[in-house]
């Protein structure tokens, strides 16, 4: 099952992620893909705010990992400089995956052999300049349940 949203500007992407955050549990992984400037970091910022992170969530492009305190610990990774999941292991990053919510930007290179299930977030261009198509899917029951809970609530608010 894939859930697809169209956002018309960065605020809508931020709000979409913020709205998903309350449904996330310990050991949730979100693997986020999309081209440069697709909105991966905007999505991460919204998720962080929804998780109650008070600090400013920034792109971890150079540091590879930023850790924030929220309702749950929020681990924000950037895999842009990694070649494969072995690099992810090599940095000891798999250690962080059970303790909170992990969001990984540029995740496509580490999907093969990723240790555990995840919510896949794909951000693609929309029809207009500021429009984005954001697709959510899950690879296991744990993450599927989270998306379904979120969707049930979204539906009841229509
Ligand atoms: N619908 C949208 N959703 C998210 N960002 C958008 C949207 N429309 C325009 N933008 C702009 O695109 C850029 C996305 O930047 P960023 O989140 O850093 O991208 P990424 O992390 O994917 O490289 C920002 O300048 C943002 O204002
Ligand atoms: Mg980014």
């Amino acid at each position: 099952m894939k859930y697809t949203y169209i956002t018309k500007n960065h605020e809508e992407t931020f709000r979409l992620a913020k709205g998903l955050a309350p449904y996330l549990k310990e050991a949730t992984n979100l693997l986020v893909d999309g081209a440069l400037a697709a909105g991966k970091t905007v999505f991460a910022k919204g998720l962080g705010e929804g998780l109650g992170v008070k600090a400013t969530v920034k792109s971890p492009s150079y540091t590879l990992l930023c850790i924030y305190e929220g309702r749950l610990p929020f681990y924000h990774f950037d895999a842009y400089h990694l070649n494969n999941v072995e690099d992810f292991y090599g940095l000891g990053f798999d250690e962080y995956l059970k303790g909170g919510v992990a969001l990984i930007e540029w995740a496509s290179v580490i999907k093969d052999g990723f240790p555990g299930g995840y919510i896949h977030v794909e951000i693609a261009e929309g029809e207009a300049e500021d429009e984005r198509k954001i697709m959510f899917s899950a690879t296991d029951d744990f993450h599927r349940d989270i998306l379904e809970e979120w969707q049930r609530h979204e539906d009841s608010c229509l």
Side-chain angles (χ1 to χ4, degrees):
M1 182 74 194
K2 250 188 193 185
Y3 303 104
T4 303
Y5 286 84
I6 303 286
T7 64
K8 298 213 174 310
N9 50 53
H10 67 92
E11 287 94 349
E12 285 191 12
T13 298
F14 184 96
R15 270 206 303 277
L16 181 65
K18 188 176 171 183
L20 168 62
Y23 300 93
L24 305 182
K25 300 176 183 139
E26 200 174 326
T28 303
N29 302 316
L30 298 108
L31 269 58
V32 185
D33 279 314
L36 184 70
K40 300 181 293 298
T41 299
V42 168
F43 188 89
K45 285 173 185 284
L47 203 82
E49 184 162 298
L51 286 169
V53 172
K54 295 281 176 265
T56 305
V57 173
K58 296 193 198 109
S59 177
S61 315
Y62 299 101
T63 49
L64 307 181
L65 168 62
C66 295
I67 302 176
Y68 301 97
E69 277 308 316
R71 172 173 72 79
L72 296 164
F74 177 41
Y75 303 105
H76 183 192
F77 300 89
D78 191 312
Y80 185 76
H81 295 286
L82 307 187
N83 295 310
N84 49 45
V85 77
E86 297 307 319
D87 290 348
F88 191 77
Y89 278 113
L91 290 159
F93 283 174
D94 52 306
E95 300 282 320
Y96 294 99
L97 295 180
K98 299 271 179 246
V101 171
L103 182 151
I104 304 162
E105 295 192 34
W106 295 106
S108 62
V109 292
I110 63 159
K111 278 211 294 280
D112 245 3
F114 186 75
Y118 54 86
I119 292 170
H120 192 207
V121 184
E122 297 165 83
I123 311 180
E125 282 179 13
E127 317 245 295
E129 199 192 330
D130 283 353
E131 211 170 272
R132 301 288 189 271
K133 189 176 170 193
I134 308 184
M135 289 154 286
F136 298 84
S137 55
T139 65
D140 64 1
D141 287 343
F142 175 76
H143 291 89
R144 200 166 297 125
D145 285 351
I146 290 171
L147 287 182
E148 281 176 7
E149 237 350 85
W150 173 48
Q151 289 300 309
R152 257 199 295 282
H153 185 260
E154 291 263 298
D155 288 346
S156 65
C157 291
L158 285 177

